[in-house]
Structure formats: C-alpha cells, structure tokens
Amino acid sequence: MLERRKPIWVKEAIDYVMQLKKHGDTEIVSIDDCDGRFLAEPLVADHDVPPFDRSPYDGFALRAIDTKKASGKTPLTFKVIDEIGAGQVSPFEVGCMEAIRIMTGAQIPQGADCVIMLELTQEEQRSEGTFIAIKRSLNKGDNISYQGEDTKKGNLLINKGVAINPGIKALLATFGYSNVKVSKRPVIGIIATGSELLNPDENLVPGKIRNSNGYMIESQILRAGAKFKRYGSISDNLDSLFETIMIALNECDILITTGGVSVGDFDYLPEIYRKLGANLLFNKIAMRPGSVTSCAEKDGKFLFGLSGNPSACYIGFELFVRPYIRYWLRSEQPFLRFIRGTLKKDFLKANPFSRFVRGKIVYENGMVFAEPVGLDKSGVVTSLAWADCLIILPGGTRGYKKGDQVELLILDDQLGCDKPWVEAKFSK
Amino acid sequence: MLERRKPIWVKEAIDYVMQLKKHGDTEIVSIDDCDGRFLAEPLVADHDVPPFDRSPYDGFALRAIDTKKASGKTPLTFKVIDEIGAGQVSPFEVGCMEAIRIMTGAQIPQGADCVIMLELTQEEQRSEGTFIAIKRSLNKGDNISYQGEDTKKGNLLINKGVAINPGIKALLATFGYSNVKVSKRPVIGIIATGSELLNPDENLVPGKIRNSNGYMIESQILRAGAKFKRYGSISDNLDSLFETIMIALNECDILITTGGVSVGDFDYLPEIYRKLGANLLFNKIAMRPGSVTSCAEKDGKFLFGLSGNPSACYIGFELFVRPYIRYWLRSEQPFLRFIRGTLKKDFLKANPFSRFVRGKIVYENGMVFAEPVGLDKSGVVTSLAWADCLIILPGGTRGYKKGDQVELLILDDQLGCDKPWVEAKFSK
C-alpha cells in the first residue's frame, strides 16, 4: 500500500527545525586560527580608539593661538624643540611659538592643540636650532585624531555569532584578543545511500553514477561553518544502513543522509526512523525540488533526510540544515538572506509547490535581476556550480513573466538574515 | 628637502601591477582538500550526464504506444515483469502490455520509452504475477531523463581559475576527479613597520598601539586565495628592516610591508627600494585613503608598500594586491567586482582624489543602495569590520548627494570581474 504524505509549507518545516535549535559549546582558539570562525561572545572595546590624541599626518604639533596672524605675506616662525616618532612620547611641553616635529600616528605632545602638515611648512636651520615658517593660521583641533573618536572603551563592536572577517580580525588584534572565544563547530555526519553510487575514483559501469552529493554537502557544511565526518555511501540495505546510522548518531552532533527518503521499495529511511524510535518532524514539503526532504529527531539530535537528487539535496541543506548550524554557532542571523529582484525570463508553469530555481544575480544600473542558470531539473548537477542564488516562485502561483519581481535567496553569503523567507500565505 | 611625489590614477597603478602579472605553479590535491582552491585547468565533462536514460521518479517503465486507450473509464492492465533498483540494469526487454517497476535514478530498460509515476498506478496481485492498472495515456519520453540532457561529454563546464564551491565540488566528484589540479597558492610575506606597534598579547603603553594591520592583511590574503608568512613587526630602523626584507624576498613570492612609505623621517621604505635596486613602479596614487601606497619590483617579485593606516592598508590590498594574486591563481576575473548603487547619504566634500568610502550594500525593492559605515577616516579600524563594499567617489568630482548613483566595489566576493574599475577620465 502506497504511503500518502501530507506536504507542509517550507516555513513550517523551518519552524520545526528551529524549535529544537540550540547553541553549541565554545572553545578558545589563537587569533592565528580564527578566520571564518564565529564569535562566541560579543567583541567589546577594552580601550578607547585611538587610545590617545594622535597625529594622522607627518607634520608639526603647535598651539593654534600662536598661528592666528600667519599668512602668505606674513609667515610666522616657530622653534622646533623636539621630534616624536610613532610610539614615542615627548617629555617636552609645547610653549609659545614652539613646535614639535611629529610623525604619523604619534601622540600629540603636551601644550599642542593642532598639527600642521609637513608639506605646508618650510624648515630653516639656524645656529640656535631648527625653525619652521608657516603661512596659514590653524584652528584648535586641526589634524588631531582625538582619543576615542573611532570608538570608546566599552562600546559593543561586533555581536556574538558573527563570522570573523579581515576587519574583525583587525579589531581582535587591536583589543588584544591573542586568544578568541569562538563557537565550537558541530560535527555533521554524512551517509550517502543508494546502490547506484560509485566513488569518484571508480570507473563508470552501466546503471551507476558517481556519488556527487556527499562531496557537495561536505563543501556546503564547511561553507556553513561546521565540520563533517564521512560515513561513505551505503548500498540500499536496511541492516547495514541502520547500523551505520546508529554509529554516526553516536559520534556526531547532526546526521545527514542523502537518498532513500521517498516512497520507493528501496527507500529505507522511513523504516529506519521508526526502528530508531525517532520523532518524525516532516517527510513532505510543498517545494520543488526536494519535496521528499525529511527530518526526524532522536534524543535531541537531528537526522536530516535529504533527497538523492543533487539539486534537491543542495537546496534542502541550505533551507533547513544551514540555519540550524548557524544558530548552533550563535549567529543571530542564521537564515539565508533574501532580496528582491526582477526576473529575466518567463516561468509560465504554475507552481502548486514553491519552486526554487537555480539562478545568477545580475546587477544592471543599480537594479537587481535574476537569471536562471542551466537546465532546471532536480537531477541536474551542472547548474549548481554556476548558481549564486535561488529564485523563489512561491507555491500557489500561476506562473511568472520576465519583468516580474521575485525573491532571491543568496547563496555563499556570510551576513544571513534574522528571519526565514516565508511563503506569501504566511506573510499575509 | 621634502620629496614631492606625482600622483597617478588608480587605474594606472593597477595597470603597472598587472603588466607584470603571471600564473603561478600548479599542484595536485585530493578532492577532499579542494574547497576554495582555484582550478588550474578547465573542468570538462568526461562523460554524458546523465550517463544513461534514467527515471527521475519511482514508477513503472513501459511503452507509450500500449497506453493510448487508457482512461479513467477504461483502465489498462500491464504485467510487471521485473523490478529495477537504482544501480541495477534489467536483463529483460519490455514488450507489449508489459511494465518494469523502476526506482528513481535507475536505467530505463530496453523496450520501454516512458515512465508512469508510482502514485498514478494501482497494483494487483494475481496468481500469474503482479499487474498494474493505469488510467491515462502517456507519450514517448514522458518522465525520462535522457542521456546527456544535463551535459554532453566534452562540454566545458567550468573555466580554469574559478574557486571551487559546493556545486563545482559536486561536478568534480561526478566526473571522477578524485585528484584535482589547482593553482599553487603564492606565499606572501608580511612585514609590519613602526616603532609604535605592540603585539596583541602586549599591554598598551603611552604612545603605542597594537599591530592590527598585520593580522588584517593575513586574513585578506587568505580570502584572496593565497598563503602568508609573517615576519613580525619591525621597529623603524633602516638596517633591521632591510635585512628582514632581504630574507623575506628570498622566501616569498610577493612581499607586503605596512607603514613607512610616506615622506616622514622614519619612513624608510623609499630608501630601502633604492638600496635594493628595486624598480619603483609608483609611490603616490590619486586616492583617499592610501595615497602613499607604493609598489616596487625586484627580479620579478613585487614589494607592495601599503600605508600604515588601517583603512588605507585594507583598501590598498584589495585594489592592487588582490588582482595580482587572483591572476596568479589563474582567475580570468581577477579584479574586484563593481556594481552601481544609489547613495543613502550626502558626501558634499569635493574629491580631488578618488575616495573609497567603507560601506554596506542595502537592497530595497530590487534596487541597490549604499550606506557608509562608521567614521570615514583612514586611521579608523572599527568600520572595516562592518563594510561589505567600498563606495567610490571618483577623483575630480565636486561632491555627491543622497540619491546619486555611484559605483561600489564588492568585498568578500569570489566572482570578481575581468576588468578593473576605471576613473571616469579613463572610461571616456
């Protein structure tokens, strides 16, 4: 007897997953190894930046009041009483008609309240020492970077759960984080099911294909910020699959299987969920591709059952697994970022289920356009390589024309979004 | 005597760098280690995809001609003569009024020319065997994924020089690349100069700051696809700096210094270039920040002299070093991608030099907007962490208003562009 499954909406499926969301552990890594890791605590300024009033230019520090009468016709002369390199502090105080030579980044000396750029001065050596002539007046504060003008001690600079990029790494160094508290990466087990699967180093034989889903998901896992553990591809055999799943569940934080979730005679995942006593959250989603995407939970651990079709598998991961991982890493924006764009092509077919079309974002004159890439069938693997977005044609719509506005989920994005994309019926 | 430098345009500086562009060596890595690496040769399909006619669904393979009279009122009955799991090949040929049970992904058996989905059939067990009833007619080709419909053997799928993402990794697995030929990453030496620099684990003392540029550039180097070698921060001392540079030039493919390129008394880089006998390509660019960005070449190796100011340093890397690295990795789109967007804020100051403002891209209703982030001074480090683009205000312009269109260089982008951004005077 064929099982009839009731499809749920994409948003409902995401909600099922996120109901069980949790933060993973934290760990300390060296600043040398922090790239791409997710901050486990907010980054707060532990001192003012700049930490002292400093000069942004090479020049001379002096008192603005002494320059008031300087002009091209009546240059004024100042005695140079010291020279400060970056990292040095002058022991002298700048007095009336005195100046101190100052390098970029050096601390403004006592008494001075402005800096004149080197290019605007003329140096003169006399027997009494070095003098400079200046031909313009300055105001108090001219060419001074004041203590704390960039950021003040105690300011929250970066939220927890943000991926460390070059700018954040610079902040970590600035504030003395030689060690950084980051979220520990969850370990995600991957089991590819299917008797048709060969390894990349095996020769093709009739009826068989190479296992591309496993490698693809490993790469998606790394991009999402997690680690993977590979359990190889398992033939369609209930017992060996069950055994591998038991081992993997024990060793991993999350488990992904590819294939075997449909209603075919060799689709063993439904039976394995039952045998495990796992709590089935969903096994049918109103989406194309990937309607058979399934999810079960056992003792707080997720078993994501992704489709064996490459595109369906890819999209299932991005829609459902990625936000769970990103929340685990403490991201406050765990969902795929979505933006609006204009379709470059007709999609006249009706969409009983929400359709996710592999696409490319094209920018023209300040506007966002979306262009489908390659052949859009769930078994197709080549177009995944070129896609940088998923074009969403929401379920319950009659079709779309070139020029219509649609929503696009951005792939390969680190910013994310604090809420998931929602079918129109939910947003109303 | 103060040195007077003649500024060149950004595009000219990029041209100087790219005149000496070259491809680096290649190496073979396991598919397990290929994420983010750049392909050293094009990825070509070595077989058709799918490699055989196959079923995209669970169902029954049969002959369309036999179904012509099937309808709700007159269902037709077919004898099921075999069952094919994925990876299997049936030894039988489908004859008149016969069907073969077929699983998703399995090869279409001889004789059959269409597939009916499982859900549309009714199974019946009789003493003579298993039969199915169908209530609709089918056309030749229905529910068959034909050999080569995704891609044909010999098709160029991915150009050389493209960074490997999850979709490309899936292709590598599909086409049996258990080992992948990638571009060897150049090793980039980093020397931070400045007596004011402390390490992240040192306590702040008056007049000093922690070295953030070195860590930031390391992270930028990794993002660009290269490797780094750290030579620490060197005090403003000509001899020790020269010695370290000689060592680093010998050990690295490219050398980056931060700081010391200006005209101050402790800016030793100009003197070091002379002492080395290096060919100075430029030492003044009509840009803000980063006008002192310098570049010299010695025996085919570049010495990039980036500014000691964090933002100037960051931008100098992205504009000039990144394209050189990406070309080294064989990218055909080595330059930063630029798109148009609408300014969200006034910038009323005139721009004698091209100004690069740290910004964030904001999407609203299918349009691209650009919002500046944080304080825009070259010494400012905090806003770099939040920026995902550089807003360009080209040199020679009088200022910009909210609502004006500008060009944006996208940071943290893997796609790139085949040509660099050009000042308006060049594009005319």
Side-chain angles (χ1 to χ4, degrees):
Chain A
M1 182 55 207
L2 191 62
E3 182 193 349
R4 297 278 168 200
R5 296 176 178 178
K6 191 181 169 300
I8 62 173
W9 292 97
V10 172
K11 171 63 164 62
E12 290 177 280
I14 295 175
D15 285 347
Y16 271 118
V17 172
M18 295 307 275
Q19 270 171 23
L20 292 167
K21 70 187 178 189
K22 62 183 174 198
H23 290 320
D25 291 338
T26 64
E27 63 183 334
I28 306 288
V29 298
S30 160
I31 190 173
D32 294 336
D33 304 318
C34 76
D35 284 275
R37 299 298 299 269
F38 288 71
L39 289 171
E41 55 188 15
L43 202 166
V44 175
D46 77 337
H47 64 73
D48 290 344
V49 177
F52 44 81
D53 297 348
R54 72 182 173 199
S55 176
Y57 300 114
D58 277 306
F60 292 89
L62 32 74
R63 306 184 333 160
I65 196 169
D66 299 339
T67 68
K68 287 304 166 203
K69 292 188 176 149
S71 71
K73 282 184 186 157
T74 58
L76 293 177
T77 302
F78 292 73
K79 184 173 203 296
V80 179
I81 61 166
D82 195 13
E83 178 175 278
I84 328 173
Q88 296 175 352
V89 177
S90 176
F92 298 102
E93 182 171 341
V94 176
C96 180
M97 301 310 286
E98 290 179 343
I100 289 183
R101 174 83 175 91
I102 190 167
M103 310 305 156
T104 306
Q107 183 166 338
I108 304 294
Q110 295 278 316
D113 58 15
C114 65
V115 170
I116 185 163
M117 290 168 79
L118 191 60
E119 298 90 309
L120 302 176
T121 63
Q122 281 214 296
E123 213 171 293
E124 194 185 327
Q125 300 296 335
R126 301 186 196 162
S127 56
E128 313 97 279
T130 305
F131 289 79
I132 53 162
I134 72 171
K135 294 177 174 176
R136 64 170 70 180
S137 71
L138 291 148
N139 292 314
K140 215 171 146 169
D142 279 358
N143 297 325
I144 293 184
S145 296
Y146 282 105
Q147 176 172 344
E149 75 171 21
D150 182 353
T151 196
K152 294 242 181 299
K153 179 176 175 172
N155 275 5
L156 168 68
L157 297 177
I158 307 289
N159 277 334
K160 70 173 165 57
V162 172
I164 296 169
N165 65 22
I168 295 175
K169 197 167 180 183
L171 288 183
L172 290 167
T174 299
F175 295 112
Y177 288 80
S178 50
N179 292 301
V180 188
K181 196 177 194 180
V182 297
S183 296
K184 218 167 159 175
R185 289 178 285 212
V187 177
I188 306 191
I190 308 171
I191 302 173
T193 79
S195 304
E196 77 277 26
L197 299 180
L198 301 168
N199 287 325
D201 57 357
E202 291 183 281
N203 286 326
L204 284 185
V205 293
K208 303 215 174 195
I209 58 168
R210 295 204 187 91
N211 169 24
S212 60
N213 285 349
Y215 289 91
M216 179 180 75
I217 288 189
E218 288 174 8
S219 191
Q220 289 177 282
I221 287 171
L222 296 175
R223 183 167 73 176
K227 290 199 287 195
F228 64 83
K229 195 167 159 71
R230 185 189 298 171
Y231 291 90
S233 53
I234 311 286
S235 289
D236 293 323
N237 171 306
L238 183 62
D239 292 335
S240 62
L241 189 53
F242 184 77
E243 196 181 323
T244 308
I245 284 180
M246 288 295 284
I247 293 169
L249 260 183
N250 191 41
E251 293 175 342
C252 302
D253 298 306
I254 300 166
L255 184 59
I256 291 176
T257 53
T258 65
V261 282
S262 192
V263 292
D265 302 2
F266 296 113
D267 288 316
Y268 290 129
L269 264 301
E271 190 167 342
I272 282 174
Y273 296 152
R274 279 190 292 275
K275 205 169 158 185
L276 276 173
N279 173 25
L280 183 71
L281 299 174
F282 54 82
N283 61 8
K284 183 94 177 171
I285 305 175
M287 63 186 274
R288 291 259 185 266
S291 65
V292 296
T293 306
S294 301
C295 184
E297 172 266 329
K298 167 77 177 167
D299 302 333
K301 282 185 185 175
F302 271 123
L303 296 94
F304 288 99
L306 303 183
S307 165
N309 275 322
S311 292
C313 182
Y314 183 100
I315 292 170
F317 179 91
E318 296 295 329
L319 285 178
F320 308 111
V321 189
R322 182 187 183 279
Y324 185 76
I325 293 173
R326 284 283 166 98
Y327 187 87
W328 181 289
L329 297 170
R330 291 178 170 68
S331 172
E332 295 175 5
Q333 307 196 132
F335 303 104
L336 285 175
R337 188 177 187 189
F338 53 95
I339 64 174
R340 293 189 74 82
T342 304
L343 266 184
K344 282 223 160 217
K345 213 192 122 181
D346 290 344
F347 280 92
L348 300 176
K349 269 201 289 189
N351 304 291
F353 285 4
S354 295
R355 196 182 299 274
F356 295 87
V357 179
R358 285 143 275 171
K360 255 190 127 46
I361 299 176
V362 181
Y363 298 97
E364 285 171 13
N365 293 316
M367 288 181 61
V368 180
F369 292 85
E371 197 161 50
V373 289
L375 197 64
D376 203 60
K377 292 193 170 187
S378 64
V380 164
V381 66
T382 53
S383 59
L384 286 172
W386 308 319
D388 61 13
C389 72
L390 299 172
I391 303 169
I392 312 173
L393 309 176
T397 54
R398 287 190 170 277
Y400 283 81
K401 284 202 167 140
K402 182 179 166 174
D404 284 350
Q405 287 240 327
V406 288
E407 271 164 326
L408 315 172
L409 291 168
I410 306 181
L411 303 168
D412 208 2
D413 159 74
Q414 284 297 45
L415 188 66
C417 190
D418 59 359
K419 52 186 187 300
W421 172 81
V422 178
E423 286 95 347
K425 65 171 295 189
F426 286 92
S427 60
K428 273 171 196 162
Chain B
M1 182 57 206
L2 191 60
E3 182 193 347
R4 298 277 167 199
R5 297 177 178 177
K6 190 179 171 301
I8 61 173
W9 292 98
V10 172
K11 171 63 163 64
E12 290 177 280
I14 295 175
D15 285 346
Y16 271 118
V17 172
M18 296 307 275
Q19 269 171 24
L20 293 167
K21 70 187 179 190
K22 61 183 172 199
H23 291 319
D25 290 338
T26 64
E27 64 183 335
I28 305 287
V29 297
S30 160
I31 188 173
D32 295 337
D33 304 317
C34 76
D35 285 275
R37 299 298 299 269
F38 289 70
L39 289 171
E41 54 187 13
L43 201 165
V44 175
D46 76 337
H47 62 74
D48 289 344
V49 177
F52 44 82
D53 295 349
R54 72 181 173 198
S55 176
Y57 299 116
D58 277 306
F60 292 89
L62 31 73
R63 307 184 332 160
I65 196 170
D66 298 339
T67 69
K68 287 302 165 205
K69 291 188 175 150
S71 71
K73 282 184 186 156
T74 59
L76 293 178
T77 303
F78 291 73
K79 185 173 201 298
V80 179
I81 60 164
D82 195 13
E83 179 176 279
I84 328 172
Q88 296 174 353
V89 178
S90 176
F92 299 101
E93 182 171 342
V94 177
C96 181
M97 299 312 283
E98 290 180 342
I100 289 183
R101 173 83 177 91
I102 191 166
M103 310 306 157
T104 307
Q107 183 167 336
I108 304 294
Q110 295 278 314
D113 58 15
C114 64
V115 170
I116 185 163
M117 291 169 79
L118 192 62
E119 298 90 309
L120 301 176
T121 63
Q122 280 213 297
E123 211 169 295
E124 196 186 326
Q125 299 297 334
R126 300 185 195 162
S127 55
E128 311 97 279
T130 304
F131 288 80
I132 52 162
I134 71 169
K135 294 179 172 176
R136 64 169 70 179
S137 70
L138 291 148
N139 292 314
K140 216 172 145 169
D142 278 357
N143 298 324
I144 292 183
S145 295
Y146 282 104
Q147 177 174 343
E149 75 171 20
D150 182 352
T151 198
K152 295 243 183 299
K153 179 175 174 173
N155 275 4
L156 169 68
L157 297 177
I158 307 288
N159 277 335
K160 71 173 163 55
V162 172
I164 295 169
N165 66 20
I168 295 175
K169 197 168 180 181
L171 289 184
L172 290 168
T174 298
F175 295 111
Y177 288 81
S178 51
N179 293 300
V180 188
K181 196 176 194 180
V182 297
S183 296
K184 217 167 161 178
R185 289 178 286 212
V187 177
I188 307 191
I190 308 172
I191 302 172
T193 78
S195 304
E196 77 278 26
L197 299 180
L198 301 168
N199 288 323
D201 58 356
E202 291 183 282
N203 286 324
L204 284 185
V205 293
K208 302 215 173 194
I209 58 167
R210 295 203 185 91
N211 169 22
S212 59
N213 285 350
Y215 288 92
M216 180 180 75
I217 288 189
E218 288 175 8
S219 192
Q220 289 177 283
I221 287 172
L222 296 175
R223 182 166 74 177
K227 290 199 286 194
F228 64 84
K229 195 166 160 72
R230 186 190 297 171
Y231 291 89
S233 53
I234 311 287
S235 290
D236 293 322
N237 172 306
L238 182 62
D239 292 334
S240 61
L241 189 53
F242 184 76
E243 197 180 324
T244 308
I245 284 179
M246 288 295 285
I247 294 169
L249 260 183
N250 191 41
E251 294 175 341
C252 302
D253 298 306
I254 301 166
L255 184 59
I256 291 176
T257 54
T258 65
V261 280
S262 192
V263 292
D265 301 3
F266 296 113
D267 288 315
Y268 290 130
L269 265 301
E271 189 165 343
I272 282 175
Y273 296 151
R274 278 189 292 274
K275 206 168 156 184
L276 275 173
N279 172 25
L280 183 70
L281 299 175
F282 52 84
N283 62 7
K284 183 96 177 170
I285 305 174
M287 63 185 275
R288 293 258 184 264
S291 64
V292 296
T293 305
S294 301
C295 184
E297 173 265 329
K298 167 78 179 166
D299 301 333
K301 283 186 185 176
F302 271 124
L303 296 95
F304 289 99
L306 303 182
S307 165
N309 275 322
S311 292
C313 182
Y314 183 100
I315 293 170
F317 179 90
E318 296 295 330
L319 285 178
F320 308 110
V321 190
R322 182 188 184 280
Y324 185 76
I325 293 174
R326 284 285 167 97
Y327 187 87
W328 182 289
L329 297 169
R330 294 177 170 67
S331 173
E332 295 175 4
Q333 307 196 131
F335 303 103
L336 285 175
R337 190 177 182 187
F338 53 96
I339 63 175
R340 293 190 74 83
T342 305
L343 265 185
K344 282 222 161 220
K345 217 191 120 184
D346 289 345
F347 280 91
L348 301 177
K349 270 200 288 190
N351 304 291
F353 284 4
S354 295
R355 197 182 298 276
F356 295 86
V357 180
R358 285 143 273 172
K360 254 190 127 45
I361 299 175
V362 181
Y363 299 97
E364 285 172 13
N365 294 318
M367 286 180 63
V368 180
F369 292 86
E371 197 161 51
V373 290
L375 197 65
D376 203 61
K377 291 192 173 188
S378 65
V380 163
V381 66
T382 55
S383 59
L384 286 172
W386 308 319
D388 60 12
C389 73
L390 299 172
I391 304 169
I392 314 173
L393 309 177
T397 55
R398 287 192 169 276
Y400 283 81
K401 284 202 167 142
K402 182 179 165 173
D404 283 350
Q405 288 239 329
V406 288
E407 270 165 328
L408 315 172
L409 291 169
I410 306 180
L411 304 169
D412 209 2
D413 159 74
Q414 284 296 48
L415 188 67
C417 190
D418 59 359
K419 52 183 185 301
W421 173 81
V422 178
E423 286 95 347
K425 67 171 292 189
F426 287 92
S427 60
K428 273 171 198 161

